Amino acid sequence: MMRYALVASTALATAICAITPALAQDAATPAAVQPTAPSQASDGDIIVTATRRETTLQSTPIAVSAFGQAQLDKQQVKDVTDLAKYVPSLQFNQQGDQSAVLLTLRGIGNDSAYTEVADPEVAIYVDGIYSPRSQGASVLMYDMERVEVLRGPQGTLFGRNATVGALSLISAKPKLGEFEGTVEVTGGNYDRLGVRGAINIPITDTLAARVAFVTDRHDGYADFQPAPDIAGINKSAFVTTGKKYYAADQQSVRGSLLWQPSDKFSWNLSAEGFWDTGAPVIGLLQTPRAGTKRWSTLSDTAADTDRYSVAVRSSMNYDLTDGIQLGYIAGWSRIGGSTQTDADAGALPPTGQVDANGNDLPLGAFGENRTLSSRYDFQSHELQLKSTGEQAIDWILGAYYSHEKNRIRFDIDQRNGYRDGTFSWAGSFIQANRQIDSRAVFGQAVWHVTDALRVTGGLRYTSDKKEDIGGRNVTYSGDGCSPADLAPGGACQSGIFGAYPDATAQELVNLLPGYSISSNDVKGKWDKLTYLARVDADLAEDTLGYASISTGFKSGNIQDNAGLTDPETLTNYEVGLKTRMFDRRLTLNLAAYYSDFKGYQVNQAVTFRDDAGNVIRSQIVTQNAKGAKAYGLEAELTANLTDNDRLQFSGTLQKTKLDDLESVDGRLYDGGKASSIVQLQGNELAHAPRFSATASYEHEFELASGATITPRISTHYETKSWLSYFNGDANPFVNVNDPADNMSDRGTNGTDWDRQKAYFRSDASLRFTSADQNYSIEAFIQNIENGKIRTNASAFGTPRYDPVFLSNLQPPRTWGVRAKANF
C-alpha cells in the first residue's frame, strides 16, 4: 500500500509542480469557464444536487464527481460503462442473461444484483427517482443536464440501496421562451451507426416541451467459429451466421414538459421508452484454442435479446412561503423482455465419442440460459418539505414509499456434447409474483454555526418487506421415468427449451415427465435507522474541508430456495478537502475514507451433483459474510494550464479485505460436498484494484476564422485486481487429499484465471468546431492498445474435466467519426 501511495503522491506532486509555473504566469488572466455542465453558478462552478438542494460542486461537502453533456461527449461516454474510467473507485461488470450493468464503488458491489433476488449497493437515480434495475434506459446517457456520482453512503437523503454511493442522472429540462435543438450522427467500425438529438420548443410563456432521442447500433465483436467437422456431429446445430454476440442495437426517446404558471409553482413531467434488440455479452475463452481468435465463440445457441423499458417521472415544487418549499416526486417504470444466451460458450467442443451409457462426450458440455419472459414493475412516491434561501439552519423533511412487483420465467437446459447431444439436466424457474415494499421517513439539517463553519446531522428510518408469492422451481429429477423414458430420445429426455411458455409450474410438470416442483414461497421484513454526522468549514478562501461519519443499509434478501438472507450495513468515516488555487485555474478535490461493512451479501450460482457427477440442481445462493473492510484515498484534479490547455486527473488508492466467510466456489466445485467449502477470510473484494487513475489532456488551436481544432488524449491505468471474492483457486485451507471430494486437483488451478492483470487503456480524439459553434466534426479512437480487459471470470467443465476458463470482455479497439449541429 505504501509503495502505491508513494507512486501516486509522487506523480501528483510532479504534475502540480510542472503546471505551477504556467499557472502562476497566467495568474492575471481570468479563469476559463469550465464547460462541464450547463448548470453553473455565476463564478463558473458546477451546480449539483447531491444534498437534495442546489449547491455548487466546490461548496458541497461530499465526495462527488459531476459531468455535463459537453464533457460526456468529449470523453466518449455513451452509457454508464464508459463513465467508470473517469470516476474514482467506480468499476463495472456486465451480465448477459438480463442485459444488466453491475456497479462497484470503493470495492463494494454485487455481481448478481440484476433481478429482485439481489439489490445493488450503488443506487441509480434518474431525475431524483430510484431505478431498482440497472437495465434499459437508466444506463444510457443522452441529452443530460449532468451526471453526478456520489461516493460514500447516501443513506439519509437517498436511502434505498445507496449503501456505498449513488449514481444520479439528471436529464436536460425544457426551457421557457427558447427554441433550440441539436442533432448528432456517429459512424464507425463494426458498422456502427448512431443518431441522437434534442429539440426544445416554447409553447407558451409558462409551458415548454423537449424531445430527445438516441439510436445506436454496431455489429457484434465476437465472430462465430465454424462448426466442428467430426463424424456423428450435426453441424447444422451450430450457429455460424446471423447476429453476433456483443452486438448493440438500442433506441430510446424521451419527452418532457415544464409548466411554470407562477414563480411559486413548477412541474416537470417526462416519459421515456427504450428498446434493445442487440445481443447479450457472453463468456469468451481466456486462452483461445489453437487456430481461433480471442474474440470468437463456438456457439450452438443463437444470440437473442428483445428488451424494453418505459418510465414516467414527475417532479412538482410549490413555495409555501418565501423560505419553505413543498415537493412531490413520483415515478413509474416497467422493464421486461426476453434473452437467449449460450451458457457454455463453446468451452468443451463435442468429440463424436460416447460413454458406456450412450452419452455424448464431453458430458455436460451444452448449456443454454433463456429468459423466456420477464416484467419488473416499479412505482415510488416521495414528499419533501424543505427550507429555501439563506437560513441559519437549512433543513429538509421527507417521506418515501416504493412498490416493486416482478415476474420472470428463466429456463436452463444442459446436454452432453452439444445442442443435439443426449439430455443431461434442465430447470424452469417460474416466479410469478415477487413483491418489494419500502417505506421511509427522513430528515436532515445544516446549522451554519458561523459564516465559515457548518454542522450537519441527518436520520432516516427505513422499513422494507419482500415476499415471493407462488414462486416455483420446476427441475428435472427423473422421478417416474421408465428405462425406456430415460433412453436417448425418450419421454424424459426432452429438456425444456422454452416449452409451453404460458404454462403454470404444475401444468409444466404434467406436460414434461420426470420433473418435480419445489416452492419458493417466502417473505421477510427488515428495518434500520441510518444516520449522518458531518462538519465542514471554509479553511481559507476557495478551500473547503470536511469530516463525516455516515451509515448505509440494504435490507435482507429472499432466495430461490425459500430462504432468507440477513441485511447488510455500512459505516463510513471520511475526511475531504476541496480547493482552488492559482486564480482558480487549478481545482483539487481529495477524499480519504474507511468503510466497515457488516453482513456483506455475497451471491453466486452453485451446482449440485450426484455421486456419478450428474447435475441434480443449480441455484443462486446468497450468503452473509461477517463483513469487509475498505479504505482509500481519492483525488480529482482539473488544471486550466492556459486559456487553451486543460489537464484532468482522477485517481484512487484503495485496500479491501473480506472478513470471515466460508463458501463454495460453484464455478469449480460441487456445491453438495462439505469438503468443497473454503475459508475466504482476508481475501480482497472483486473489482478493487489497489491503484487506478485516468489522465486527460486537450489543447485548443484557434484558427484565424475563429474556428477551433482540439486534440484530446486520455489514458486509464489499473493495477491487477480480482474478479471475484474467491481470489483464484490457491486457498491454503483447501483439503486436497479428501478422496470423497472427487476433485483431487482442487486448489491447483492457480490464480491467474480469476485475476485481471494490470493494464493501460487509452482513447484519443480530434475535434473541429466552427467559429459560431453551430457545428462540429470529431474523429475518435477508443482502447488504442486493443487490450483484452476482462470484467468477470467463470469456469466450465468441472468437476468432470479440467476447467475451461471464460470471461466477459470490455470492447476491443473501436474508432469512428461524429458530426454534430446546433440550431
Side-chain angles (χ1 to χ4, degrees):
M1 183 69 180
M2 289 301 295
R3 178 180 60 183
Y4 293 123
L6 179 60
V7 172
S9 60
T10 301
L12 185 59
T14 302
I16 293 176
C17 291
I19 62 180
T20 297
L23 296 171
Q25 180 179 355
D26 295 327
T29 306
V33 176
Q34 299 178 5
T36 54
S39 297
Q40 294 181 327
S42 59
D43 62 354
D45 199 358
I46 305 170
I47 299 295
V48 297
T49 53
T51 58
R52 302 304 287 265
R53 63 176 73 240
E54 291 188 349
T55 57
T56 63
L57 178 63
Q58 290 305 108
S59 67
T60 304
I62 296 175
V64 54
S65 303
F67 307 85
Q69 187 65 62
Q71 189 167 356
L72 295 175
D73 291 343
K74 285 183 178 181
Q75 296 169 336
Q76 314 301 326
V77 175
K78 65 182 180 66
D79 58 30
V80 69
T81 63
D82 296 319
L83 190 65
K85 300 190 295 289
Y86 300 100
V87 177
S89 306
L90 183 64
Q91 300 280 329
F92 76 93
N93 183 16
Q94 291 177 285
Q95 197 278 339
D97 295 334
Q98 300 294 316
S99 302
V101 176
L102 310 167
L103 299 178
T104 296
L105 195 56
R106 293 181 170 177
I108 297 172
N110 191 326
D111 280 351
S112 296
Y114 47 84
T115 70
E116 75 290 344
V117 174
D119 292 319
E121 281 82 9
V122 183
I124 297 178
Y125 280 79
V126 182
D127 291 334
I129 298 169
Y130 177 64
S131 179
R133 306 291 149 225
S134 57
Q135 298 146 309
S138 64
V139 299
L140 285 178
M141 296 180 186
Y142 69 100
D143 198 35
M144 288 284 109
E145 180 176 311
R146 65 184 177 280
V147 173
E148 301 175 12
V149 183
L150 288 63
R151 305 188 295 278
Q154 307 300 317
T156 304
L157 293 181
F158 286 85
R160 187 159 188 259
N161 300 331
T163 314
V164 72
L167 170 62
S168 181
L169 309 178
I170 298 97
S171 63
K173 303 297 185 295
K175 301 175 184 178
L176 296 174
E178 294 186 31
F179 179 85
E180 62 180 16
T182 180
V183 63
E184 176 183 296
V185 179
T186 303
N189 61 337
Y190 296 99
D191 284 338
R192 181 183 176 186
L193 178 62
V195 182
R196 63 175 63 196
I199 184 170
N200 191 91
I201 305 171
I203 300 174
T204 69
D205 291 342
T206 61
L207 183 65
R210 189 177 185 93
V211 178
F213 68 92
V214 61
T215 176
D216 199 3
R217 69 155 313 278
H218 62 73
D219 291 344
Y221 303 135
D223 292 330
F224 290 119
Q225 297 174 14
D229 189 12
I230 298 174
I233 299 300
N234 180 9
K235 298 175 68 173
S236 66
F238 291 86
V239 182
T240 56
T241 61
K243 183 166 50 179
K244 300 177 182 179
Y245 284 97
Y246 288 85
D249 194 349
Q250 299 176 324
Q251 301 87 38
S252 183
V253 62
R254 182 194 307 127
S256 306
L257 285 173
L258 169 62
W259 183 40
Q260 192 171 325
S262 70
D263 293 338
K264 290 189 174 184
F265 178 77
S266 65
W267 183 14
N268 276 290
L269 179 67
S270 68
E272 184 177 71
F274 168 84
W275 302 268
D276 183 356
T277 55
V281 299
I282 190 176
L284 303 176
L285 296 183
Q286 293 186 12
T287 303
R289 286 186 291 269
T292 65
K293 300 181 296 182
R294 180 67 176 271
W295 279 103
S296 67
T297 178
L298 180 63
S299 291
D300 42 13
T301 296
D304 184 65
T305 294
D306 186 4
R307 292 194 165 274
Y308 69 91
S309 72
V310 290
V312 178
R313 306 181 183 101
S314 171
S315 178
M316 299 181 183
N317 290 307
Y318 180 71
D319 293 332
L320 298 175
T321 70
D322 289 341
I324 300 178
Q325 184 180 85
L326 178 66
Y328 173 55
I329 304 172
W332 172 87
S333 64
R334 173 175 292 174
I335 298 175
S338 61
T339 308
Q340 180 175 290
T341 308
D342 192 330
D344 65 272
L348 293 175
T351 64
Q353 301 174 332
V354 297
D355 66 7
N357 298 318
N359 292 316
D360 303 86
L361 295 175
L363 294 175
F366 168 79
E368 176 186 287
N369 292 349
R370 183 181 298 190
T371 300
L372 198 64
S373 63
S374 64
R375 194 176 85 182
Y376 308 130
D377 288 339
F378 176 80
Q379 61 171 300
S380 68
H381 306 268
E382 182 169 329
L383 195 64
Q384 295 181 1
L385 188 67
K386 63 184 179 183
S387 64
T388 59
E390 294 185 4
Q391 306 282 352
I393 297 179
D394 299 326
W395 54 269
I396 181 173
L397 300 172
Y400 174 85
Y401 170 74
S402 68
H403 176 75
E404 188 177 355
K405 183 177 180 179
N406 306 312
R407 71 183 188 191
I408 186 172
R409 175 173 165 182
F410 180 71
D411 290 0
I412 297 175
D413 270 74
Q414 296 181 2
R415 289 184 173 268
N416 300 315
Y418 68 117
R419 172 179 284 278
D420 285 357
T422 51
F423 175 79
S424 177
W425 182 85
S428 183
F429 303 88
I430 305 174
Q431 325 304 338
N433 187 357
R434 282 188 168 172
Q435 299 191 28
I436 303 173
D437 288 281
S438 182
R439 296 172 173 85
V441 292
F442 61 92
Q444 185 164 303
V446 181
W447 176 31
H448 296 259
V449 182
T450 69
D451 290 342
L453 178 65
R454 294 156 293 275
V455 177
T456 301
L459 294 172
R460 187 185 190 103
Y461 173 76
T462 302
S463 176
D464 284 0
K465 182 178 71 173
K466 300 182 180 181
E467 58 183 331
D468 189 317
I469 304 169
R472 298 292 183 264
N473 302 331
V474 178
T475 54
Y476 179 76
S477 63
D479 296 340
C481 296
S482 67
D485 292 334
L486 294 172
C492 293
Q493 305 291 294
S494 60
I496 287 182
F497 288 111
Y500 312 107
D502 299 323
T504 65
Q506 187 60 56
E507 290 171 341
L508 197 60
V509 169
N510 295 337
L511 291 165
L512 296 173
Y515 288 79
S516 60
I517 296 178
S518 61
S519 172
N520 281 335
D521 290 297
V522 64
K523 62 181 178 180
K525 187 175 182 179
W526 305 269
D527 60 84
K528 184 70 175 179
L529 183 69
T530 52
Y531 64 86
L532 164 71
R534 181 175 62 224
V535 59
D536 67 279
D538 299 322
L539 304 179
E541 185 178 2
D542 290 328
T543 300
L544 172 73
Y546 65 90
S548 67
I549 175 173
S550 57
T551 59
F553 165 71
K554 194 177 83 171
S555 63
N557 280 347
I558 56 176
Q559 299 195 54
D560 280 339
N561 59 355
L564 294 174
T565 308
D566 291 333
E568 59 185 28
T569 59
L570 179 73
T571 303
N572 185 72
Y573 307 87
E574 187 165 329
V575 294
L577 181 73
K578 296 187 173 185
T579 186
R580 284 171 162 174
M581 297 176 281
F582 308 112
D583 197 23
R584 296 194 170 188
R585 285 191 173 275
L586 185 144
T587 300
L588 176 64
N589 295 340
L590 302 171
Y593 65 90
Y594 174 83
S595 297
D596 188 3
F597 204 22
K598 299 295 186 185
Y600 188 13
Q601 296 169 0
V602 293
N603 306 71
Q604 63 159 326
V606 175
T607 297
F608 298 84
R609 299 175 181 266
D610 60 20
D611 291 338
N614 298 309
V615 175
I616 302 172
R617 69 184 191 277
S618 294
Q619 67 185 51
I620 295 291
V621 176
T622 306
Q623 298 176 267
N624 289 104
K626 181 179 178 181
K629 305 291 191 299
Y631 55 90
L633 173 66
E634 300 166 339
E636 292 180 285
L637 179 146
T638 300
N640 293 308
L641 305 178
T642 71
D643 289 345
N644 297 337
D645 294 88
R646 183 181 177 87
L647 172 70
Q648 292 177 291
F649 172 88
S650 63
T652 304
L653 284 164
Q654 64 181 342
K655 180 72 170 68
T656 63
K657 183 176 68 173
L658 188 66
D659 290 342
D660 182 88
L661 174 65
E662 293 186 347
S663 189
V664 176
D665 192 341
R667 302 167 300 179
L668 294 175
Y669 305 122
D670 188 346
K673 296 181 180 295
S675 56
S676 300
I677 299 174
V678 294
Q679 172 59 254
L680 304 178
Q681 184 177 10
N683 282 10
E684 294 184 21
L685 301 182
H687 314 296
R690 297 285 187 90
F691 174 68
S692 61
T694 299
S696 303
Y697 173 77
E698 65 178 47
H699 176 82
E700 188 173 272
F701 293 94
E702 296 183 4
L703 305 181
S705 64
T708 59
I709 295 177
T710 308
R712 178 184 175 89
I713 182 75
S714 68
T715 187
H716 177 79
Y717 172 74
E718 289 186 11
T719 57
K720 62 184 180 182
S721 62
W722 296 106
L723 300 174
S724 83
Y725 46 83
F726 283 99
N727 290 189
D729 188 42
N731 196 301
F733 294 96
V734 172
N735 178 11
V736 297
N737 298 314
D738 186 349
D741 214 358
N742 199 25
M743 294 168 279
S744 59
D745 64 340
R746 190 187 63 184
T748 63
N749 292 312
T751 57
D752 287 341
W753 78 279
D754 200 21
R755 181 172 58 191
Q756 170 60 48
K757 64 182 181 180
Y759 70 89
F760 281 96
R761 176 188 158 152
S762 303
D763 306 327
S765 65
L766 182 66
R767 184 178 68 256
F768 170 84
T769 306
S770 65
D772 56 10
Q773 298 191 351
N774 283 338
Y775 70 90
S776 63
I777 300 175
E778 180 180 35
F780 61 88
I781 181 170
Q782 296 182 278
N783 191 4
I784 296 173
E785 297 86 351
N786 201 25
K788 308 299 189 296
I789 305 169
R790 300 184 290 156
T791 63
N792 75 349
S794 59
F796 195 85
T798 55
R800 280 185 177 270
Y801 305 96
D802 291 335
V804 178
F805 300 123
L806 306 103
S807 283
N808 295 348
L809 299 178
Q810 292 187 29
R813 181 190 298 123
T814 58
W815 53 264
V817 177
R818 176 182 294 110
K820 182 177 181 180
N822 302 316
F823 57 88

